[in-house]
Amino acid sequence: IELKSGILNIFLRTGIVFTQVDLWLGLSYCDGKWNEVTVNKEGSVISATMNELREQALEPRVQQLKVNSPVYLGGIPPEIQSFYRELGLEQGFGGCMKDVKFTRGAVVNLASVSSSAVRVNLDGCLSTDSAVNCRGNDSILVYRGKEQSVYESALQPFTEYLYRVVALNEGGSVSSVWTHARTRESVPQNVPTPSRVHSINGYSIEVTWDKPAGVIGVIEKYILKAYEADGPTVPITSAELADAGMLTGVLRGLRPFTNYAVTLTACTLAGCTESSHALNISTPQEAPEDVQSPTAVSFPTFLLMSWSPPKTPNGIITKYTLYMNGIPIYSGNGTKYVVK
């Protein structure tokens, strides 16, 4: 008989027949009160009862049980444990016992009939607060009733739970096998600001970040976003990175010589969270784009040439060069020149 992980296990071996009865208790016995346990064998029926809970097994091949050896309560001496390896014995019983009976006999006074005792206090319980000191698993009764479905709340995210159903009627109770279910991830919390941003060129940057701490679940992807500093709250560009094992990504589609605020977003199946702060960066200058052709105003002996700044300067224009027939005739900061 063992009380292990919230289950009262009864192992019975007679000859070559091995029978096992498992009575699920959860933590129902951790209430600071005495619990009455009864183990019974009547013919081919082996049963176990604790308080209001009962479990039984039917084994027609089981033989008559004759006890002609010492009875050990709370554990088995090390020198004979090797003979009962199939019982999976671990540690001894921790707790208190009283009112021990065998068959229909009188209550046994353990202090007077015990031939030996190891690590046992025969003067009474050290503490009656078994709700604190008792050992078991964290199984609890989720539902009791006649419905065939139940909604359980207040669970931990991304945590696996074991469930089983116990069906009862006037003839007894039968338990299903344990089945497991896992709750979904939670939305990431406390997503960090990118730790480093490096400009590759005026159009792309490399971003490095640390893995978010305290994420309960699997990160499905990261999203990098770039906002114009002091600009609209809509990102100018973004990049989705499906390889959540990488902590470095490249953000493209930027404009040269522009100030950006870069954020990191982490996503699980439950949703996404963006870092509350951003890392600022200024992209370097690049060569101008969309340079405008010059226009001319004709006079009898000269031309007045003028031109507009490039539509996309990509930086600060430091010099213009005017060509005539492939030969440079002007170089400077001005946007007008007279060709004589």
Side-chain angles (χ1 to χ4, degrees):
I1 305 172
E2 285 186 329
L3 181 60
K4 179 181 176 182
S5 299
I7 300 177
L8 182 66
N9 300 307
I10 311 299
F11 304 100
L12 177 62
R13 186 177 69 180
T14 57
I16 61 173
V17 180
F18 183 83
T19 308
Q20 179 175 342
V21 179
D22 299 325
L23 176 60
W24 177 79
L25 303 172
L27 288 181
S28 61
Y29 57 90
C30 290
D31 56 1
K33 302 177 181 178
W34 284 101
N35 300 274
E36 183 176 352
V37 180
T38 302
V39 178
N40 194 26
K41 176 187 176 299
E42 293 185 0
S44 59
V45 178
I46 299 93
S47 63
T49 304
M50 177 177 280
N51 301 334
E52 303 297 328
L53 302 174
R54 186 176 186 275
E55 190 71 76
Q56 68 179 30
L58 177 63
E59 178 51 74
R61 300 174 300 166
V62 70
Q63 303 175 13
Q64 183 179 1
L65 179 62
K66 295 182 179 179
V67 180
N68 56 7
S69 65
V71 175
Y72 300 99
L73 298 177
I76 292 181
E79 60 269 18
I80 66 172
Q81 284 193 10
S82 60
F83 297 101
Y84 303 97
R85 293 178 178 175
E86 73 276 8
L87 298 181
L89 298 173
E90 295 184 359
Q91 60 185 16
F93 173 77
C96 297
M97 294 184 186
K98 73 173 184 176
D99 297 343
V100 178
K101 298 180 183 180
F102 294 96
T103 62
R104 287 180 289 275
V107 173
V108 176
N109 187 332
L110 297 178
S112 60
V113 302
S114 297
S115 59
S116 64
V118 179
R119 295 188 301 275
V120 175
N121 180 7
L122 297 177
D123 295 327
C125 293
L126 297 178
S127 171
T128 59
D129 191 7
S130 63
V132 175
N133 297 318
C134 69
R135 304 259 180 198
N137 64 6
D138 56 354
S139 300
I140 60 173
L141 181 63
V142 175
Y143 170 77
R144 184 188 297 272
K146 297 182 179 180
E147 299 294 333
Q148 292 181 277
S149 63
V150 64
Y151 178 81
E152 185 178 10
S153 59
L155 299 178
Q156 294 297 318
F158 202 64
T159 303
E160 188 174 82
Y161 292 89
L162 293 175
Y163 293 91
R164 78 168 179 176
V165 175
V166 180
L168 303 93
N169 59 19
E170 294 182 356
S173 62
V174 175
S175 302
S176 70
V177 297
W178 289 97
T179 184
H180 63 87
R182 181 181 291 276
T183 53
R184 291 185 58 182
E185 301 97 328
S186 63
V187 176
Q189 305 292 328
N190 302 322
V191 177
T193 304
S195 57
R196 180 176 177 270
V197 178
H198 169 68
S199 294
I200 300 175
N201 50 47
Y203 305 96
S204 58
I205 58 176
E206 183 182 71
V207 184
T208 303
W209 62 92
D210 298 322
K211 186 177 180 179
V215 174
I216 304 178
V218 177
I219 295 179
E220 295 291 323
K221 63 181 178 180
Y222 291 107
I223 302 176
L224 298 175
K225 298 180 181 180
Y227 300 83
E228 280 196 22
D230 301 326
T233 57
V234 178
I236 298 299
T237 184
S238 63
E240 289 192 7
L241 307 172
D243 186 359
M246 297 292 293
L247 300 178
T248 300
V250 176
L251 193 56
R252 298 179 173 85
L254 303 176
R255 290 194 293 267
F257 200 58
T258 306
N259 297 324
Y260 289 100
V262 181
T263 64
L264 173 69
T265 299
C267 299
T268 64
L269 291 178
C272 301
T273 301
E274 187 175 9
S275 58
S276 57
H277 299 284
L279 189 61
N280 297 322
I281 185 174
S282 297
T283 52
Q285 301 185 61
E286 292 286 347
E289 298 178 74
D290 298 327
V291 178
Q292 305 299 300
S293 300
T295 59
V297 178
S298 300
F299 294 90
T301 58
F302 63 92
L303 294 174
L304 176 60
M305 308 298 300
S306 62
W307 53 90
S308 300
K311 290 185 177 180
T312 310
N314 289 336
I316 300 174
I317 303 298
T318 58
K319 184 176 67 173
Y320 293 103
T321 301
L322 181 66
Y323 290 81
M324 185 175 71
N325 297 330
I327 300 174
I329 60 174
Y330 169 77
S331 181
N333 294 327
T335 58
K336 293 181 180 181
Y337 182 71
V338 176
V339 182
K340 298 181 180 179

